[in-house]
Amino acid sequence: MTQYQVVDDSDTVLRDGTIKLHGPAAFEGMRKAGRLAAEILDALVPFVQPGVTTGQIDDLVRQMTLDGGAVPATLGYRGYAHSCCTSINNVICHGIPGDKVLRDGDIVNIDVTPLLDGWHGDSSRMYLVGDVPLKARRLVDVTYECLMIGIAEARPGARLGNIGAAIQNHAERHRYGVVREFCGHGLGRLFHDAPEVIHAARAGTGPELRPGMFFTIEPMINLGKAGVKMLDDGWTAVTRDRSLSAQFEHSIGITETGCEIFTISPKGLHKPPY
């Protein structure tokens, strides 16, 4: 049975399986953290070019996060030593920045989570590197559509499964695979919390969405089959059939009438081409 917990700024928040319901002050905290995440992703647009390394992108993310008065939540998280994730082509998620050079035709997801005044702003976007083939651009477009179709289902009284069902239906209509091994998640003062937001689900199932819930929606859509393979580094997930993969992510809060997207782009750079 799903348990909900009303929390305020004075409460000690534990990762105890309960779904947290937040008040106005928490919404304001999430707006600030989410806006910083979006500003960082906006600012990366001119730097994502052929010849740039993922390590250089990571350095930029770290500096922009610190300049914004925050710290990268991923830095030191379970031993992770970087300030963002950079997932190229067939990498589904959690690609590790380093010496890898972006090449003409690549697609890359950049995932950032600034921790600002105790609140997590978690978001990712796809970037097109140079002249990208049509099939890759179409995958990116449909993945963004999946995100926004899922968000459209996020409103009070609905079931969490409605989000995954809408995403799955749209992706599979285009004969794409929906990754099951990774999901969205609750967040706020905790980086990862209840509920798990599955991107392939049955409508009418799962917890009821209630005002004050914060969580991410972050569909990972494969050009081929949905199978996942983990690399030996323990972080990087790739497509088992080596097909391309794309992902977009927003952090949202359920309101009395619908939902609020905390990580929307201030510059209107919602999806490529930027």
Side-chain angles (χ1 to χ4, degrees), residues 5 15 30 49 56 63 80 98 106 119 127 130 132 141 148 166 173 180-181 186 203 208 226 233 251 261 266 270:
Q5 179 185 1
R15 191 175 288 104
M30 288 296 289
Q49 301 290 339
Q56 290 172 316
Q63 191 58 55
Y80 192 79
D106 285 345
W119 299 99
Y127 297 78
V132 173
D141 285 344
M148 300 311 294
R173 192 175 303 125
R180 270 76 164 172
E181 285 82 352
E208 178 187 355
D233 59 32
S251 297
I261 303 174
H270 305 305

Side-chain angles (χ1 to χ4, degrees), residues 141-188:
D141 285 344
V142 171
T143 303
Y144 179 76
E145 291 166 6
C146 284
L147 171 67
M148 300 311 294
I149 286 169
I151 289 175
E153 297 293 329
R155 53 184 178 270
R159 294 287 174 175
L160 193 62
N162 296 8
I163 295 172
I167 290 169
Q168 181 180 4
N169 288 341
H170 189 66
E172 292 182 350
R173 192 175 303 125
H174 292 272
R175 299 185 179 180
Y176 295 153
V178 183
V179 172
R180 270 76 164 172
E181 285 82 352
F182 299 94
C183 60
H185 51 85
L187 82 169

Side-chain angles (χ1 to χ4, degrees), residues 3-227:
Q3 292 185 317
Y4 299 83
Q5 179 185 1
V6 177
V7 295
D8 60 35
D9 290 345
S10 63
D11 291 331
T12 300
V13 181
L14 302 175
R15 191 175 288 104
D16 56 8
T18 64
I19 295 176
K20 313 303 189 295
L21 303 178
H22 302 84
F27 270 82
E28 185 58 30
M30 288 296 289
R31 288 185 192 110
K32 292 178 180 178
R35 183 179 178 88
L36 179 58
E39 288 173 343
I40 292 169
L41 294 176
D42 282 357
L44 287 175
V45 168
F47 295 99
V48 181
Q49 301 290 339
V52 172
T53 70
T54 54
Q56 290 172 316
I57 292 172
D58 189 60
D59 289 341
L60 285 167
V61 169
R62 181 169 57 256
Q63 191 58 55
M64 287 188 287
T65 304
L66 296 174
D67 289 347
V71 295
T74 57
L75 190 59
Y77 179 78
R78 296 184 178 179
Y80 192 79
H82 303 277
S83 299
C84 69
C85 297
T86 50
S87 302
I88 303 172
N89 294 335
N90 71 318
V91 178
I92 295 169
C93 62
H94 304 156
I96 300 174
D99 296 331
K100 177 72 173 178
V101 176
L102 298 182
R103 296 182 178 181
D104 188 67
D106 285 345
I107 59 173
V108 57
N109 175 273
I110 302 176
D111 191 341
V112 303
T113 309
L115 174 58
L116 179 64
D117 297 331
W119 299 99
H120 291 83
D122 194 358
S123 186
S124 80
R125 286 184 217 159
M126 296 300 299
Y127 297 78
L128 307 181
V129 184
D131 186 14
V132 173
L134 178 60
K135 67 177 183 179
R137 285 187 275 127
R138 184 59 182 149
L139 172 67
V140 170
D141 285 344
V142 171
T143 303
Y144 179 76
E145 291 166 6
C146 284
L147 171 67
M148 300 311 294
I149 286 169
I151 289 175
E153 297 293 329
R155 53 184 178 270
R159 294 287 174 175
L160 193 62
N162 296 8
I163 295 172
I167 290 169
Q168 181 180 4
N169 288 341
H170 189 66
E172 292 182 350
R173 192 175 303 125
H174 292 272
R175 299 185 179 180
Y176 295 153
V178 183
V179 172
R180 270 76 164 172
E181 285 82 352
F182 299 94
C183 60
H185 51 85
L187 82 169
R189 292 199 174 277
L190 297 174
F191 192 178
H192 297 101
D193 198 13
E196 290 188 343
V197 182
I198 308 300
H199 303 115
R202 285 192 300 114
T205 65
E208 178 187 355
L209 301 184
R210 298 183 181 180
M213 290 174 64
F214 296 161
F215 54 88
T216 69
I217 302 176
E218 47 185 296
M220 288 148 270
I221 309 299
N222 297 346
L223 185 63
K225 296 182 180 180

Side-chain angles (χ1 to χ4, degrees), residues 91 93-96 229-238:
V91 178
C93 62
H94 304 156
I96 300 174
K229 178 182 177 181
M230 293 299 301
L231 299 188
D232 291 341
D233 59 32
W235 286 102
T236 308
V238 300

